Amino acid sequence: MSRIAMTLGRRGLGALAGGLLAAPAVHAQAAFPNRPIRVVIAFAAGGNSDTMSRLIQPKLSEFLGQTVVVENRTGAGGALAAGQVMQAPADGHTLLFDAASFIIAQFINRNLPFDYERDFTPVGMVAEVPYILAVPTSTGITDLKGYLEKARATPGGMPYGSPGVGNTGHLAGALLSHRSGVRMEHIPYRGGAEVARDLAGNTLPSGYLSANSLQPVIDAGKARPIALTSGVRRGGIEGVPTIAESGFPGFDLTSWNAMFCRTGTPEPIRRKLEEAVEFATKDEEVRRRLAAMGASAVPADAEGLARRLVSEREVVKGLMRDTGISFG
């Protein structure tokens, strides 16, 4: 026992211990962040989510006064990325950057050692983005009608790629198949850039991906956009109609990207992170570049995102019930 402890009575020792324990906790919270922030992305480099996270990275760093490190962890429908975040302390220094597929994760693998609804808390929304149904230019298909005619004549169903199981593109293909009565086969990729690559190489007959991932192969004359998944024309490529106005009224699926922290992160820290995301998404240059990607910056409203998560989980359950789509 130390000389100090030996000279203290029980009450004095307890007060000293309490003070020593309380002081670092208060200091750590006040000093947040006290080391680099790690943002783990559930998608491959070069895709829409990766590009978006790296776009806001400098502004997050500016607001927080610390280096922000972006790390790609793909696989298992986003569960590998989420698992990395779950292994870190709930202190706000390790965050998850995910897309609308965050909603589907609980249906993909029911044996995960964590629960998305329970173990992750919204920090803030970053942007919304519609997906685009595209085909290789060599197919000669120019619109949704021609695409469905080709799909009906494809033995075993029309293959379509998307940036992973359970993302908006996956759901869009399943919903279009259900509403058109045409069989389609989902081919999951690790990100939109890989979908674009195979469309350009004519090894994938169709795919759903963002404008950001698709635009380079359109510019190269290798792929053609034929329909937007959103209910109205927005954030896509000029002149491309929606699936809704191409014969399927009410068709409306839009992806989004958002930041999450571990549940249990102190509220003052979570709030500071929300303010950092808001700071980044209000920056005029960030908004301009998001628009160029086909995305729309949205308020970093954690409460609104939480409500949206609840609502969209119900929508997914309805799709699973009505279309028979299975993620597991």
Side-chain angles (χ1 to χ4, degrees):
M1 181 178 294
S2 72
R3 188 175 303 171
I4 293 176
M6 290 176 65
T7 61
L8 289 172
R10 290 181 181 272
R11 182 177 301 176
L13 182 60
L16 176 62
L20 290 174
L21 289 174
V26 171
H27 176 73
Q29 184 167 307
F32 175 84
N34 54 31
R35 61 182 186 276
I37 300 291
R38 179 182 173 216
V39 176
V40 185
I41 310 173
F43 300 92
N48 196 63
S49 296
D50 176 69
T51 303
M52 199 176 294
S53 67
R54 295 178 191 278
L55 174 59
I56 66 171
Q57 179 184 14
K59 304 306 294 185
L60 294 176
S61 180
E62 177 184 339
F63 183 89
L64 295 169
Q66 275 285 353
T67 300
V68 175
V69 180
V70 174
E71 177 183 325
N72 302 86
R73 288 284 177 141
T74 64
L80 291 185
Q84 287 289 313
V85 177
M86 284 301 300
Q87 291 176 20
D91 61 4
H93 286 91
T94 305
L95 307 173
L96 176 66
F97 190 82
D98 214 334
S101 51
F102 180 93
I103 299 292
I104 315 297
Q106 63 186 12
F107 303 110
I108 295 175
N109 189 339
R110 301 177 189 275
N111 298 313
L112 291 172
F114 57 86
D115 184 291
Y116 275 86
E117 292 184 69
R118 180 193 66 215
D119 295 327
F120 290 94
T121 297
V123 168
M125 186 82 82
V126 173
E128 288 183 312
V129 56
Y131 270 44
I132 302 168
L133 173 59
V135 296
T137 306
S138 59
T139 63
I141 297 171
T142 59
D143 56 22
L144 188 62
K145 179 181 178 181
Y147 174 74
L148 293 176
E149 289 175 353
K150 177 68 174 178
R152 289 190 182 92
T154 302
M158 170 65 82
Y160 70 94
S162 81
V165 174
N167 70 89
T168 300
H170 183 184
L171 296 180
L175 183 57
L176 180 60
S177 176
H178 173 69
R179 293 196 56 181
S180 67
V182 178
R183 184 177 177 183
M184 298 179 190
E185 177 188 3
H186 179 236
I187 310 296
Y189 284 76
R190 293 189 302 167
E194 295 187 357
V195 178
R197 177 201 64 200
D198 282 2
L199 286 173
N202 204 26
T203 58
L204 180 69
S206 65
Y208 291 85
L209 63 170
S210 69
N212 182 58
S213 297
L214 183 61
Q215 191 67 60
V217 293
I218 291 177
D219 292 343
K222 299 292 186 179
R224 176 180 292 118
I226 59 174
L228 292 168
T229 64
S230 52
V232 296
R233 298 190 190 192
R234 62 171 182 175
I237 297 172
E238 187 175 353
V240 180
T242 66
I243 292 176
E245 62 187 310
S246 300
F248 299 91
F251 196 107
D252 186 5
L253 289 173
T254 304
S255 186
W256 47 260
N257 289 87
M259 198 82 77
F260 299 86
C261 64
R262 280 195 57 188
T263 298
T265 299
E267 179 57 20
I269 292 177
R270 190 213 62 77
R271 176 57 186 158
K272 187 170 184 178
L273 291 167
E274 182 180 357
E275 291 172 352
V277 173
E278 182 177 19
F279 175 79
T281 55
K282 283 186 174 180
D283 181 79
E284 287 302 318
E285 178 62 14
V286 168
R287 297 175 75 88
R288 185 190 68 76
R289 292 180 62 184
L290 284 172
M293 293 168 55
S296 303
V298 293
D301 177 8
E303 290 186 8
L305 175 56
R307 290 192 297 271
R308 182 167 183 165
L309 294 177
V310 172
S311 175
E312 291 193 2
R313 283 192 176 100
E314 291 305 310
V315 171
V316 170
K317 289 176 184 177
L319 279 175
M320 293 176 70
R321 180 186 64 247
D322 297 339
T323 69
I325 188 174
S326 176
F327 303 111

